[in-house]
């Protein structure tokens, strides 16, 4: 019996995972990658250290318009499966409070063991090949057409190849410099799939206001609450980073997909920042009143020394109508009320999110209602599998998007190799 010919479009994390498991299950596997090498985006993950996975897996760690779908996949290939798999390939991992990294702290090591393993399994990798068309022939085989550009093969021109099944792993539109150009969405649409409009996620927020250049560089603990219209959509606590254009940092990334969705729907988006998240409004007021009584002769610009970043405190004082050079004893009741409101609910009006070039992932993608969570096979086209960032699933920071890549790649690769050949 001939091996199944499996074509994988995209040589990123999910594509390489699919190739490994398909080849291990006996498939004749070829990866088509339009960049000059595979795994380019993988090298930048985790600030070059590659956060492979996370020990905590729950539904709230993944977002989708079909919220039950992600965990149906993750339960079949979880973080322990990922750790075991990489150990089998020769990569040992370390646990940093539930966040797993290679012992070497090098993302390049992750890519290296994947490439070596694919080579050992006989997977063919064709770089510099852009797939322009995917069609199913009358005999049930799959036909892909593409063109060679610059790549390891050294070939040029257009080529059409026939195989038994196709795994779409072409990535999203996030970080296009690494090869994610959104071409996979068009291929999915051409095959009858609905694509929920992809938008930047895990990205910075650009805000309206004149104070951000003054605040640039400030890092502070804060509880952030995002509102779309009058509705609270998300809240996250962590280190807020203020930039010359707005908000950044992990808690901002976590809520950014809700900003993207709301702005796309032309809703007003506001992020409220609580700079004293461990105190209630009443407790904050009592604390500030006490501080005013203890240091009445201090200049207001020194009121928060030891509590808040100097640049942040000066902006909050100004927003509250308090002159920095006046003594603390001069702060009126109304000014103190305003200062408490700023401390507990500073409002940032979001104008836009940063573009795809700054985003780590996208929200939106191929509608998962059209995908079988057991195999990642299309419910519309037999023999077609769609995986990774192409799907309408985005994880929070912490190794979840790579876990999604490993899990979908594993299930799709195995299912593609184990299924029946076209025409049987």
């Amino acid at each position: 019996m001939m091996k199944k010919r499996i074509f994988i479009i995209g040589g990123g994390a999910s594509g390489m995972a699919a190739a490994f498991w398909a080849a291990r299950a006996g498939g004749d596997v070829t990866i088509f990658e339009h960049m000059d090498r595979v795994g380019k985006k993988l090298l930048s993950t985790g600030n070059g250290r590659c956060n492979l996975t996370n020990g905590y897996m729950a539904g709230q760690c993944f977002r989708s318009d079909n919220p039950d779908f992600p965990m149906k996949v993750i339960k079949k290939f979880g973080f322990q499966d990922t750790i075991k798999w990489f150990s089998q390939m020769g990569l040992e991992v370390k646990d940093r409070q539930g966040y797993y990294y290679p012992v070497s702290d090098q993302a390049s090591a992750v890519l290296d063991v994947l490439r070596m393993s694919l080579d050992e399994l006989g997977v063919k990798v064709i770089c510099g090949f852009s797939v322009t068309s995917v069609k199913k022939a009358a005999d049930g085989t799959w036909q892909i057409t593409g063109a060679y550009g610059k790549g390891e093969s050294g070939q040029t021109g257009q080529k059409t190849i026939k195989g038994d099944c196709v795994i779409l792993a072409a990535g999203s539109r996030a970080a296009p410099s690494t090869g994610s150009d959104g071409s996979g969405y068009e291929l999915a649409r051409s095959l009858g799939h609905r694509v929920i409009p992809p938008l930047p996620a895990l990205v910075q927020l650009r805000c309206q206001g004149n104070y951000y250049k003054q605040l640039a560089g400030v890092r502070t603990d804060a509880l952030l609450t995002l509102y779309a219209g009058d509705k609270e959509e998300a809240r996250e606590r962590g280190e807020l980073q203020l930039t010359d254009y707005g908000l950044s940092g992990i808690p901002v990334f976590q809520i950014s997909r809700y900003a993207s969705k709301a702005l796309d729907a032309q809703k007003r988006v506001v992020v409220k920042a609580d700079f004293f998240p461990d105190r209630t409004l009443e407790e904050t007021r009592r604390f500030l009143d006490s501080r005013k009584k203890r240091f009445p002769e201090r200049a207001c610009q020194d009121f928060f020394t030891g509590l808040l970043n100097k640049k942040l405190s000066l902006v909050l004082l100004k927003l509250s109508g308090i002159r920095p050079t006046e003594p603390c004893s001069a702060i009126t009741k109304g000014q103190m009320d305003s200062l408490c409101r700023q401390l507990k609910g500073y409002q940032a009006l979001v104008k836009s999110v940063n573009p795809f070039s700054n985003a780590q992932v996208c929200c939106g993608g191929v509608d998962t209602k059209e995908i079988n969570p057991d195999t990642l096979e299309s419910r519309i086209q037999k023999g077609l599998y769609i995986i990774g960032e192409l799907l309408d699933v985005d994880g929070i920071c912490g190794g979840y998007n790579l876990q999604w890549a490993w899990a979908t790649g594993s299930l799709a690769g195995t299912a593609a190799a184990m299924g029946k050949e076209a025409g049987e």
Side-chain angles (χ1 to χ4, degrees), residues 7 9 32 129-135 142-148 157-162 187:
F7 295 153
I9 301 173
F32 296 95
F129 186 85
S130 298
V131 175
T132 55
S133 171
V134 178
K135 295 179 180 178
W142 285 89
Q143 179 177 292
I144 70 167
T145 300
Y148 287 99
Q158 185 167 298
K159 189 171 184 179
T160 297
I161 315 165
K162 281 192 173 185
L187 293 175

Side-chain angles (χ1 to χ4, degrees), residues 294-315:
R294 287 171 61 200
F295 308 110
E297 301 307 316
R298 281 189 182 176
C300 290
Q301 63 191 8
D302 298 320
F303 188 64
F304 289 110
T305 300
L307 290 174
L308 285 179
N309 181 284
K310 183 81 168 182
K311 292 197 289 186
L312 175 60
S313 65
L314 287 173
V315 167

Side-chain angles (χ1 to χ4, degrees), residues 41-51 101 105-107 241 250 253 360:
K41 189 173 183 179
L42 190 59
L43 294 174
S44 62
T45 59
N47 292 319
R49 294 182 300 150
C50 195
N51 183 186
Y101 293 84
D105 269 336
Q106 290 180 297
Q241 297 176 26
I250 289 177
F253 291 169
Q360 293 183 26

Side-chain angles (χ1 to χ4, degrees), residues 146-219:
Y148 287 99
K150 295 179 180 179
E152 296 173 351
S153 67
Q155 300 184 59
T156 58
Q158 185 167 298
K159 189 171 184 179
T160 297
I161 315 165
K162 281 192 173 185
D164 296 300
C165 58
V166 170
I167 300 176
L168 281 183
S172 63
R173 291 184 63 192
S177 63
T178 63
S180 301
D181 62 358
S183 58
Y185 298 128
E186 295 309 313
L187 293 175
R189 282 193 188 97
S190 73
L191 294 163
H193 277 277
R194 174 178 177 256
V195 176
I196 297 164
L199 300 167
L202 298 187
V203 72
Q204 305 88 351
L205 304 180
R206 305 188 76 87
C207 302
Q208 182 175 307
N210 300 320
Y211 298 107
Y212 290 102
K213 287 185 178 179
Q214 189 176 337
L215 291 168
V218 171
R219 293 171 179 249

Side-chain angles (χ1 to χ4, degrees), residues 44-64:
S44 62
T45 59
N47 292 319
R49 294 182 300 150
C50 195
N51 183 186
L52 281 168
T53 186
N54 198 295
Y56 177 73
M57 289 286 154
Q60 63 264 33
C61 302
F62 300 91
R63 286 82 177 263
S64 172

